[in-house]
Amino acid sequence: ASEAQNGWVFESADGGYTWAKVNDSGEVLSGLNDQLQAGAYDFAFAPSNPQRVYAAFGNKTCAGVSAVDCVADTKLNFARSNNGGSNWQVLHLDALSGFSVSSLVVDADDEDRLWLGTTEGVWLSKDGGDSWQAVSAGLSNAFVKSLAANAFDPNVLLAGTSRGVFLTTDGGASW
């Protein structure tokens, strides 16, 4: 598991019992700039390939205003690593510009299929984050605060939103 805080990235190899810094403050991970790294929102390893790691970066920059009330635009970025996080490729997500990411889930069987929970619903990528499509029918543009996928059937997901908990059994086509 990995986590980012104040530009530092921490890693645990024992299920979260202990954590070690991967970098020093101000030190940038290979392929990322310091602005992206400081805005890391979520990391996810692909269960079918632990060398594939995804990271979502960017949030709305509104001091003293809740994310729901914030109207500032944000350049959301997304990064992919094929070597366990040692090197990163940044993928710019123009389609999701202005959104904040709250959660990231990778299909247990397909390392290229993943979902983002955002301030504007759920988005699906079937190509490792290169392109995205909205899969929020039935969510009523709810702020998705958390996502969870069933490890035995990746088409079954739960979305915790500002309007309650929603279930999909078809990978997000309907909730």
Side-chain angles (χ1 to χ4, degrees):
S2 294
E3 183 65 49
Q5 177 180 336
N6 299 326
W8 292 320
V9 176
F10 296 85
E11 181 177 55
S12 174
D14 58 10
Y17 289 106
T18 61
W19 291 85
K21 266 195 302 187
V22 175
N23 66 324
D24 289 323
S25 180
E27 178 187 359
V28 179
L29 296 175
S30 179
L32 301 178
N33 65 42
D34 57 351
Q35 184 180 10
L36 287 178
Q37 188 170 300
Y41 243 71
D42 201 5
F43 291 93
F45 286 85
S48 62
N49 176 6
Q51 291 300 305
R52 175 67 66 93
V53 187
Y54 294 100
F57 301 89
N59 56 12
K60 296 184 181 211
T61 54
C62 294
V65 178
S66 73
V68 174
D69 296 328
C70 179
V71 294
D73 285 336
T74 298
K75 178 75 172 174
L76 177 66
N77 290 290
F78 191 76
R80 175 178 59 220
S81 174
N82 291 316
N83 59 6
S86 295
N87 301 91
W88 294 88
Q89 175 188 7
V90 176
L91 308 168
H92 299 282
L93 306 179
D94 292 332
L96 303 179
S97 186
F99 298 1
S100 290
V101 173
S102 57
S103 57
L104 171 61
V105 174
V106 183
D107 185 315
D109 299 322
D110 182 353
E111 67 188 51
D112 289 324
R113 187 173 179 226
L114 57 148
W115 296 264
L116 285 177
T118 75
T119 51
E120 301 297 324
V122 177
W123 292 75
L124 169 67
S125 176
K126 297 178 182 178
D127 57 12
D130 290 323
S131 63
W132 296 87
Q133 66 184 32
V135 290
S136 299
L139 289 178
S140 305
N141 295 324
F143 176 2
V144 177
K145 298 179 179 187
S146 62
L147 282 175
N150 184 315
F152 301 105
D153 184 352
N155 287 311
V156 176
L157 291 104
L158 290 171
T161 77
S162 56
R163 294 190 173 102
V165 178
F166 291 81
L167 170 72
T168 182
T169 57
D170 55 15
S174 62
W175 293 87

